[in-house]
Amino acid sequence: MSKIIKDIYKFFIISILLILFILPVTLFADTSQCAECHTNPVKLIRITREYAQELAPLQSPEQEGEG
Amino acid sequence: MEQLAPHEKVFVDPSFIEEDKKHGNLGCTFCHGGDPNNPDYETAHSGVRKDPSYPDASGTCGICHTDSVKHYETSLHYTLEPYIRTIKMRSSRDNAKREKINTAMERHCLTCHSSCGQCHVSRPDPAHGGLLESHIFKKEPLMQEVCTSCHGSRVGPEFLGMNEGIPADIHRQKSYFKCTSCHSSVEMHGDGVEYANRYEVATAPECESCHRDVYTSQGENTTQHTIHKDKVSCQVCHAMPYKNCWECHVGTDDQGLTFFRTKATKMDFKIGLNPARDERHPEKFVTVRHIPVDFNTFSFYVEDGLSEFNMLPNWKMTTPHTIRRETPQNSSCDSCHGNESIFLSLEDVEEKYREANKEVIVPKELIPAKVGK
């Protein structure tokens, strides 16, 4: 009987440890919108085109010579 | 260097997330913030830190890379101290004028910093940014996408042999050196000392670190090396011509966008007097390069802002990256001795800048006499 209790206890401890180890990784892993867009070139091309139209130019055309 | 397309700048390789167990497992928001559950890209990016390592890397990179980040704020790539210090020295002592110079500096000069991320993950912002290899971390920054994307007007093209008629630096051509072959990570990351310029940095490269035997009987050409030791810098004998720049003027256009204008550059080689001889740079003669700052660099913002221009020379001590074993000036003794054309003379310097350069101009009587060989 005591062996069964010990085995259950061991199983319980190992399970808790596994959960503690895996949970943070799972929580932090963004399988969400960030990865969905930033790993999808087709989406990115569309979005960055839309976004680029709203952006002001970064550099003045009056620039001349080497910096 | 060609810019990346907008989508290339932000594309993340899925293998970064899946295979980089150290960085990829952290999740985007750990470093960048933002809202990962929001499908609207505009609001999802609210609060996003594009470069989580700038200006403070301690909460991101610094958590693990403690040693590298510890002194990062003393790195010249972070402090930009040489710009700040030299412009300050040349600036008017009038506080109102100084304020305007500071504004101009903030807009035009001090945007050229770097950071952990802008060397190891993306191209630097001054080179228009964009992820290096789709967010895969590069322990060693890529030379042409990172180092020479900023140092790309003078040092980069010199080192790579991109100036017409001037071969690549021998270290590049023969041994395929990269910047990191000489410039260590400690030099880049800072060592806790706030240096005024790169020549002061304790871990800055020195030719003799590799060329250890040039002054010993085992070395080649020991006699010449010994005769010239502490009299001339290595570059005086071994540098080919390098780029000199003139008249950088900055301003903003009608739309408020910043611009600079510089005059045409010129490839030249000039030996000047070392204006700051010290234990590490005891040589009397060094190579000097014309730098782009002039009296009117900030005239768009304030007239006479650099009224103390003469405090420093604008022919500045330089270490060109055009090194060759054989150069025109070391082909014979009299290629240098008595050859007035390669020494910075009064005639090489515009009259209005002679006072500023008085410590580097070589008076004719100091040019070593011909030896007839």
Side-chain angles (χ1 to χ4, degrees):
Chain A
M1 184 65 186
S2 69
K3 191 178 178 298
I4 292 169
I5 290 171
K6 268 186 187 172
D7 285 346
I8 291 170
Y9 184 68
K10 260 189 204 170
F11 177 77
F12 180 73
I13 293 293
I14 289 168
S15 304
I16 292 288
L17 285 173
L18 276 174
I19 288 167
L20 283 176
F21 178 73
I22 290 166
L23 191 65
V25 177
T26 316
L27 279 179
F28 281 121
D30 291 319
T31 50
S32 54
Q33 292 299 321
C34 315
E36 201 174 314
C37 287
H38 281 270
T39 58
N40 183 335
V42 178
K43 263 192 183 178
L44 276 182
I45 289 171
R46 182 177 53 76
I47 292 171
T48 52
R49 272 186 191 158
E50 280 173 20
Y51 189 55
Q53 284 173 349
E54 296 166 22
L55 283 178
L58 292 169
Q59 227 166 44
S60 168
E62 292 183 35
Q63 193 132 303
E64 273 177 36
E66 292 181 82
Chain B
M1 185 183 59
E2 202 176 328
Q3 279 192 49
L4 294 169
H7 71 280
E8 288 176 309
K9 289 185 175 185
V10 292
F11 174 71
V12 176
D13 189 330
S15 70
F16 162 67
I17 301 169
E18 290 154 15
E19 291 167 24
D20 184 341
K21 300 294 177 207
K22 289 171 185 161
H23 302 105
N25 273 1
L26 290 171
C28 312
T29 52
F30 182 82
C31 294
H32 293 282
D35 181 356
N37 301 313
N38 187 341
D40 179 73
Y41 76 81
E42 282 183 358
T43 48
H45 284 85
S46 171
V48 156
R49 295 181 296 275
K50 192 177 84 169
D51 177 359
S53 64
Y54 188 83
D56 180 10
S58 60
T60 49
C61 315
I63 295 172
C64 295
H65 304 277
T66 325
D67 285 346
S68 302
V69 171
K70 188 164 65 177
H71 300 306
Y72 159 62
E73 290 180 11
T74 62
S75 149
L76 293 180
H77 277 112
Y78 182 91
T79 65
L80 304 174
E81 189 61 23
Y83 282 141
I84 296 167
R85 196 174 286 226
T86 54
I87 292 296
K88 197 172 174 184
M89 281 178 78
R90 291 185 171 110
S91 296
S92 164
R93 302 297 179 248
D94 178 321
N95 283 339
K97 288 185 178 181
R98 278 207 166 193
E99 275 302 309
K100 289 179 180 167
I101 295 278
N102 290 343
T103 304
M105 285 279 287
E106 288 287 339
R107 279 188 199 162
H108 298 275
C109 314
L110 305 184
T111 51
C112 269
H113 60 79
S114 198
S115 66
C116 311
Q118 291 182 49
C119 284
H120 295 283
V121 186
S122 75
R123 296 180 179 188
D125 276 348
H128 307 289
L131 293 165
L132 282 175
E133 277 191 22
S134 307
H135 214 301
I136 290 170
F137 281 61
K138 308 300 291 181
K139 184 171 183 184
E140 190 176 285
L142 306 177
M143 183 171 75
Q144 294 190 59
E145 280 83 356
V146 176
C147 315
T148 63
S149 71
C150 288
H151 300 277
S153 290
R154 289 160 285 271
V155 169
E158 286 169 9
F159 188 63
L160 297 168
M162 291 160 74
N163 293 312
E164 202 179 335
I166 314 291
D169 191 295
I170 194 66
H171 300 94
R172 176 68 179 171
Q173 193 182 42
K174 194 174 168 189
S175 306
Y176 213 64
F177 270 35
K178 294 177 276 186
C179 305
T180 49
S181 307
C182 295
H183 296 280
S184 69
S185 61
V186 180
E187 185 192 359
M188 296 300 105
H189 294 154
D191 61 6
V193 180
E194 293 189 11
Y195 296 109
N197 62 62
R198 64 180 176 276
Y199 297 116
E200 284 186 0
V201 177
T203 49
E206 288 179 2
C207 308
E208 286 168 67
S209 305
C210 290
H211 300 278
R212 291 193 185 99
D213 58 2
V214 289
Y215 302 118
T216 69
S217 54
Q218 285 82 44
E220 284 185 61
N221 215 0
T222 306
T223 311
Q224 289 307 320
H225 285 135
T226 310
I227 290 172
H228 292 94
K229 187 174 190 294
D230 294 348
K231 295 189 179 98
V232 300
S233 66
C234 304
Q235 291 80 8
V236 165
C237 292
H238 291 287
M240 295 290 284
Y242 42 87
K243 192 173 281 178
N244 295 269
C245 303
W246 271 265
E247 294 185 21
C248 180
H249 294 173
V250 296
T252 54
D253 66 13
D254 295 342
Q255 294 181 357
L257 297 170
T258 58
F259 66 81
F260 64 79
R261 294 190 190 118
T262 55
K263 268 186 131 180
T265 55
K266 185 182 166 192
M267 299 303 290
D268 206 350
F269 173 88
K270 288 289 173 192
I271 301 169
L273 292 174
N274 181 353
R277 293 171 81 175
D278 60 21
E279 205 176 314
R280 285 181 70 197
H281 304 98
E283 305 88 10
K284 182 176 179 181
F285 294 107
V286 293
T287 39
V288 288
R289 188 195 300 264
H290 196 278
I291 55 170
V293 68
D294 82 354
F295 283 125
N296 298 313
T297 290
F298 298 112
S299 291
F300 178 89
Y301 291 91
V302 54
E303 278 305 319
D304 212 20
L306 298 182
S307 59
E308 304 303 316
F309 194 87
N310 292 340
M311 293 291 287
L312 293 168
N314 56 352
W315 281 91
K316 184 176 172 287
M317 181 169 99
T318 187
T319 46
H321 285 51
T322 53
I323 299 303
R324 305 292 292 186
R325 178 193 285 244
E326 291 171 8
T327 60
Q329 68 276 17
N330 74 15
S331 60
S332 69
C333 300
D334 288 345
S335 302
C336 182
H337 285 249
N339 182 1
E340 290 182 12
S341 69
I342 60 171
F343 287 87
L344 185 73
S345 67
L346 212 55
E347 293 75 42
D348 290 320
V349 182
E350 277 181 86
E351 201 170 337
K352 62 182 176 180
Y353 293 119
R354 285 181 183 166
E355 176 65 19
N357 291 288
K358 65 182 179 198
E359 287 182 22
V360 291
I361 292 171
V362 184
K364 286 204 167 45
E365 61 274 19
L366 289 186
I367 296 175
K370 281 189 180 298
V371 294
K373 284 196 239 175

